Amino acid sequence: MSRRWLFADQLGPHFLDDRKQPVLLIESKAVFRRRAYHRQKAHLILSALRHRAAELGEQAIFLRAETYGQALQKVREPLEVCHPTSRRALKFVRNRDGVTLLPARGYATSLADFADWADDRRGALRMEAFYRFARQHHGVLVEGDEPVGGRWSLDVENREPPPKNGKVDVPAPPMPKEDDIDAEVRADLDRWEREGIRFVGRDGPRRFPATIEEANARLRHFLRHRLAAFGPYGDAMLSTDPWLAHSMLSSSFNLGLLDPLEAVRGAEQAYRTEGAPLASVEGFVRQILGWRDYIWHTYWYFEPTWRNSNELGARRSLPAWWNDLDADAVDAHCLSDVLAGVRDRAWVHHIPRLMVLGNYALQRGFRPSELVEWFHTRFVDGYEWVMTANVVGMSQYADLGRITTKPYVSGGAYINRMSDYCGGCRYDPKKRLGEDACPFTAGYWAFLAGNRDRIPGNARMARTMKQMERLPDLDAVVDQEKRRGSDPP
Ligand SMILES: Cc1cc2nc3c(=O)[nH]c(=O)nc-3n(C[C@H](O)[C@H](O)[C@H](O)COP(=O)(O)OP(=O)(O)OC[C@H]3O[C@@H](n4cnc5c(N)ncnc54)[C@H](O)[C@@H]3O)c2cc1C
Ligand code: SF4
């Protein structure tokens, strides 16, 4: 049996054909020199790789080198490798003699099945349509060809504001216990920093699974204790509770520790045998079988230049306070708390990413390519393949709607409805002009005014645009936001 070379995001058993298959693992230091990663992300990647090497023992050759190329020079036998997760790595693998490339693993639907589905369709390749295909293809939450419960998406039932008592009533997710490997990783990272390798964000206890066992434990706990509340509070934000009922499993899926289809089957079983509410189960299944796979497939299916789209002409460089995660420089309560979450944990959930960070960046005209790099390096689950659709497409609308029907831009009213932030803020979400004008509310109107000729007209945007044109103080709001510029709000 050939030796299987596993990249650091292919660590689970589903990347092997046999439990005893010989393995090659490589730790490349150059990866950490190329970009400034969040310290906790670097820790997690190294910890996961080293834990897997320790688990496999003599079954694995584990090489630490400056580059992959240098490590591979030490391996004399033929290798096989599953399709890597970035174009750069794919090119590298394809150019190596003696390395056989295998189909991708770690996603629910194969690249070939997605391409067949997409080639057969005319018009937009929307997530909702792919999700329906994937549910039928894998027979998940269906009866015959029809969805269980009669509707494919129960999203409308899943948009509750946060509970008034400031807490979603679920037990906290199990946190990993650090061990000697983590201590060694921490010491190595300290030394690398002294040598000049730059990291961002604060160090902290490892909060995300580094082993298959830790990831499975978190998944089991989530399905049993937290899944029921996942649906209703999926969009809510709380200053007192960053996790709410989210699974905190993205880094485990993306490191390859967990098989997404197994998690989907586990959620379906929770519905069928343990009475978990359908809206929550469907919501979780949609995130993984729908969104995660869709994001992965579009990265490969669409042309590589998609990543560089900038159709709104956003040219402002990321300011230093944003780059350095300087939450203390920011007064706006929502943005300050979310930025602090990135600084302290390298993770915030989907809505702070989309409706606070992404929304603010879109309103201010931050350059999408810089934002791609920012999200990639600052988040514990950030990878090249996730960036194009999530950041360029969904969050920044830089492709004018290839995967969304309108820009994800909103004023303070949305944040006020879905969080407890505004009560403790020096700004007023209802005000767009003046000393206490909410930067999100004012930024929203200024963004629409500045992009009125670029945003394609459609029914969903027409009403908003009309409303904007009728604002009596629009010019003053635009001037005010021009003056605010890139300063921390
Ligand atoms: C601007 C922006 C940047 C993002 N960057 C990343 C990223 O770098 N890596 C990443 O994995 N996700 C990213 N996401 C998607 C999503 O925010 C995270 O997957 C999620 O917040 C992770 O927390 P969780 O595991 O608790 O997820 P849950 O809310 O519990 O969701 C369950 C799982 O669904 C998957 N999922 C849901 N939505 C998406 C999505 N849009 N794209 C990919 N997977 C999804 C994840 O694997 C996640 O673990 C981004 C979203 C936005 C708007
Ligand atoms: S008032 Fe505006 S800036 Fe303050 S928390 Fe609310 S949305 Fe954020």
Side-chain angles (χ1 to χ4, degrees):
M1 182 174 273
S2 293
R3 188 171 289 278
R4 179 75 46 90
W5 170 20
L6 301 176
F7 277 96
D9 55 1
Q10 300 178 329
L11 298 179
H14 49 295
F15 287 91
L16 298 180
D17 292 343
D18 183 287
R19 279 185 55 234
K20 297 217 163 75
Q21 182 165 19
V23 165
L24 169 68
L25 292 164
I26 300 175
E27 179 182 305
S28 154
K29 197 167 169 185
V31 167
F32 299 94
R33 287 190 208 282
R34 253 200 311 269
R35 9 169 83 106
Y37 284 107
H38 197 294
R39 169 78 192 227
Q40 292 181 46
K41 179 192 177 96
H43 185 124
L44 179 64
I45 293 171
L46 290 176
S47 178
L49 190 59
R50 293 180 190 184
H51 273 101
R52 188 65 171 133
E55 254 167 37
L56 290 168
E58 291 187 355
Q59 189 181 336
I61 298 174
F62 179 38
L63 297 172
R64 290 184 191 170
E66 183 61 28
T67 64
Y68 287 114
Q70 285 169 9
L72 288 173
Q73 278 170 10
K74 297 190 182 142
V75 184
R76 299 272 166 244
E77 59 192 303
L79 295 169
E80 49 183 39
V81 64
C82 296
H83 191 294
T85 60
S86 73
R87 287 200 170 84
R88 183 192 171 108
L90 181 64
K91 191 168 164 210
F92 178 79
V93 163
R94 280 200 170 130
N95 288 340
R96 311 274 335 166
D97 290 336
V99 177
T100 305
L101 180 64
L102 304 174
R105 298 189 187 185
Y107 302 87
T109 304
S110 73
L111 289 169
D113 283 341
F114 181 88
D116 283 349
W117 170 81
D119 290 348
D120 276 354
R121 294 183 72 84
R122 293 202 181 84
L125 300 178
R126 294 280 181 228
M127 194 291 290
E128 291 72 16
F130 166 69
Y131 169 54
R132 185 183 293 209
F133 160 79
R135 287 260 300 268
Q136 287 169 328
H137 185 77
H138 294 290
V140 173
L141 293 177
V142 288
E143 268 148 17
D145 267 352
E146 294 306 312
V148 170
R151 280 174 296 154
W152 291 102
S153 168
L154 303 176
D155 200 24
V156 282
E157 293 173 30
N158 281 345
R159 291 179 192 153
E160 296 286 320
K164 290 265 179 296
N165 66 1
K167 190 155 175 28
V168 174
D169 200 12
V170 288
M175 287 291 164
K177 285 197 179 57
E178 289 200 10
D179 60 11
D180 291 349
I181 293 180
D182 289 295
E184 184 201 64
V185 167
R186 184 160 284 113
D188 284 350
L189 290 174
D190 285 344
R191 185 165 44 79
W192 291 5
E193 272 192 288
R194 287 195 299 275
E195 288 168 19
I197 296 185
R198 193 173 155 251
F199 298 102
V200 287
R202 288 186 181 161
D203 193 10
R206 178 166 63 77
R207 296 180 176 87
F208 293 88
T211 65
I212 297 158
E213 201 184 315
E214 286 175 351
N216 275 318
R218 184 168 286 182
L219 173 64
R220 276 196 307 272
H221 182 274
F222 171 77
L223 294 176
R224 188 120 195 242
H225 301 292
R226 296 164 58 80
L227 173 61
F230 173 84
Y233 299 117
D235 286 4
M237 295 179 279
L238 275 173
S239 57
T240 45
D241 177 4
W243 320 117
L244 293 108
H246 288 274
S247 70
M248 295 166 64
L249 287 170
S250 49
S251 60
S252 305
F253 290 124
N254 295 354
L255 285 166
L257 295 171
L258 283 182
D259 181 343
L261 208 47
E262 277 182 23
V264 164
R265 299 271 183 226
E268 178 168 23
Q269 200 190 350
Y271 163 70
R272 292 197 187 271
T273 63
E274 284 146 48
L278 182 59
S280 281
V281 171
E282 187 282 315
F284 185 65
V285 166
R286 179 159 22 90
Q287 300 312 308
I288 297 175
L289 199 59
W291 276 111
R292 182 173 186 272
D293 255 48
Y294 174 77
I295 298 283
W296 160 253
H297 288 299
T298 53
Y299 171 74
W300 294 106
Y301 189 77
F302 291 138
E303 67 289 346
T305 49
W306 182 27
R307 189 185 190 279
N308 304 323
S309 311
N310 189 4
E311 298 294 325
L312 294 179
R315 311 230 179 279
R316 186 170 272 164
S317 271
L318 302 187
W321 59 270
W322 179 282
N323 254 332
D324 299 340
L325 309 175
D326 185 3
D328 298 337
V330 179
D331 283 345
H333 188 199
C334 55
L335 185 56
S336 174
D337 188 64
V338 170
L339 213 51
V342 184
R343 178 193 66 197
D344 298 344
R345 294 182 294 274
W347 182 94
V348 291
H349 77 71
H350 187 70
I351 297 300
R353 294 187 206 202
L354 186 63
M355 301 312 291
V356 178
L357 297 169
N359 189 14
Y360 197 76
L362 176 62
Q363 291 181 2
R364 301 293 139 183
F366 291 172
R367 210 183 276 269
S369 58
E370 291 183 32
L371 214 59
V372 160
E373 186 69 11
W374 189 84
F375 273 106
H376 181 161
T377 50
R378 265 70 173 165
F379 281 80
V380 78
D381 52 18
Y383 287 86
E384 161 84 15
W385 63 268
V386 199
M387 291 301 126
T388 316
N390 270 317
V391 182
V392 175
M394 189 173 357
S395 152
Q396 297 305 295
Y397 201 65
D399 53 7
L400 299 184
R402 194 161 201 178
I403 62 165
T404 61
T405 49
K406 69 182 193 52
Y408 279 95
V409 64
S410 81
Y414 175 86
I415 295 173
N416 194 22
R417 190 168 62 250
M418 296 310 294
S419 78
D420 63 351
Y421 284 128
C422 298
C425 185
R426 90 164 185 75
Y427 299 112
D428 180 342
K430 292 196 195 69
K431 293 213 177 142
R432 57 177 177 265
L433 200 58
E435 265 300 290
D436 58 350
C438 165
F440 282 87
T441 303
Y444 171 69
W445 296 117
F447 165 80
L448 292 178
N451 289 287
R452 45 160 75 91
D453 299 329
R454 291 195 172 103
I455 297 173
N458 65 36
R460 292 186 77 185
M461 285 310 290
R463 228 180 52 189
T464 311
M465 287 303 197
K466 253 194 203 141
Q467 215 182 334
M468 181 262 298
E469 299 294 358
R470 280 200 298 255
L471 293 181
D473 50 9
L474 184 62
D475 290 345
V477 172
V478 169
D479 277 354
Q480 167 188 275
E481 293 313 299
K482 223 178 243 160
R483 283 196 301 280
R484 200 192 306 268
S486 326
D487 289 348

